[in-house]
């Protein structure tokens, strides 16, 4: 059953198998509730958490969002149209949140990552498991509203972007997470990477 708890337990089992004692986490978008759950289940194994996007999804739109957010397009063995549809979904997700929303309020405010390499890597990831690639996202849409943060021990950096729907819950998360601080994310990916690096380097230096 693809619940956040089951996914988190599987990830911890993978760390055990790889003999990895501690990790840092970068969670983007709808993976934020999974990252928060990992800090609850294994607080001694998580050094620092960076949340790059977290959203509050109203109960009345969850069902429709689950249906649309991570679709499984029908395989087209003759023309390969399913590849084009997935590619356009990935491209549009860099411009809007959610990716299928047509209104101005859904426009992203960060620099899009539209390089051929990044889109190709994401597309191949979907094609490897077209029916299951959205399992974690679908679970997060339903379970994310119940994310517990008040007793989170891990140190967190929560990025925020004013007027960007993909960061609509950032302030609320920061208010509930005792060891997290809210920072406005740099527009560019490289600038955000510098912020992330500085945060995790500080944690490493203090250990």
């Amino acid at each position: 059953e693809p619940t956040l708890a089951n996914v988190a337990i599987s990830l911890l089992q993978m760390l055990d198998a790889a003999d990895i004692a501690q990790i840092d986490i970068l969670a983007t978008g709808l993976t934020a509730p999974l990252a928060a759950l990992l800090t609850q289940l294994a607080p001694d194994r998580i050094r620092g958490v960076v949340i790059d996007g977290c959203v509050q999804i109203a109960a009345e739109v969850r069902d429709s969002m689950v249906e649309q957010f991570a679709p499984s397009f029908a395989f087209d063995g003759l023309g390969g149209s399913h590849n084009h549809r997935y590619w356009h979904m990935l491209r549009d997700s860099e411009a809007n949140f959610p990716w299928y929303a047509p209104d101005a309020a859904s426009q992203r405010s960060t620099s899009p990552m539209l390089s051929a390499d990044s889109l190709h890597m994401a597309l191949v990831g979907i094609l490897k498991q077209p029916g299951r690639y959205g399992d974690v996202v679908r679970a997060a849409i339903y379970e994310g509203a119940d994310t517990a943060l008040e007793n989170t021990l891990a140190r967190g950096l929560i990025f925020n972007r004013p007027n960007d729907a993909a960061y609509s819950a950032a302030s609320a998360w920061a208010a509930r997470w005792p060891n997290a601080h809210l920072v406005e994310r740099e527009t560019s990916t490289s600038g955000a990477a510098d912020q992330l690096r500085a945060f995790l380097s500080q944690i490493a230096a203090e250990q």
Side-chain angles (χ1 to χ4, degrees), residues 7 9 24 28 49 64 74 95 172 176 186 197 202-203:
V7 173
I9 291 170
D24 300 309
T28 60
V49 182
S64 63
R176 295 167 50 213
E186 293 287 344
R197 189 179 300 110
Q202 181 180 357
I203 292 177

Side-chain angles (χ1 to χ4, degrees), residues 1-13 34 37 41 143:
E1 181 68 22
T3 65
L4 291 183
N6 286 341
V7 173
I9 291 170
S10 295
L11 289 173
L12 292 172
Q13 290 173 340
L34 176 59
L37 180 57
L41 294 177
E143 301 177 43

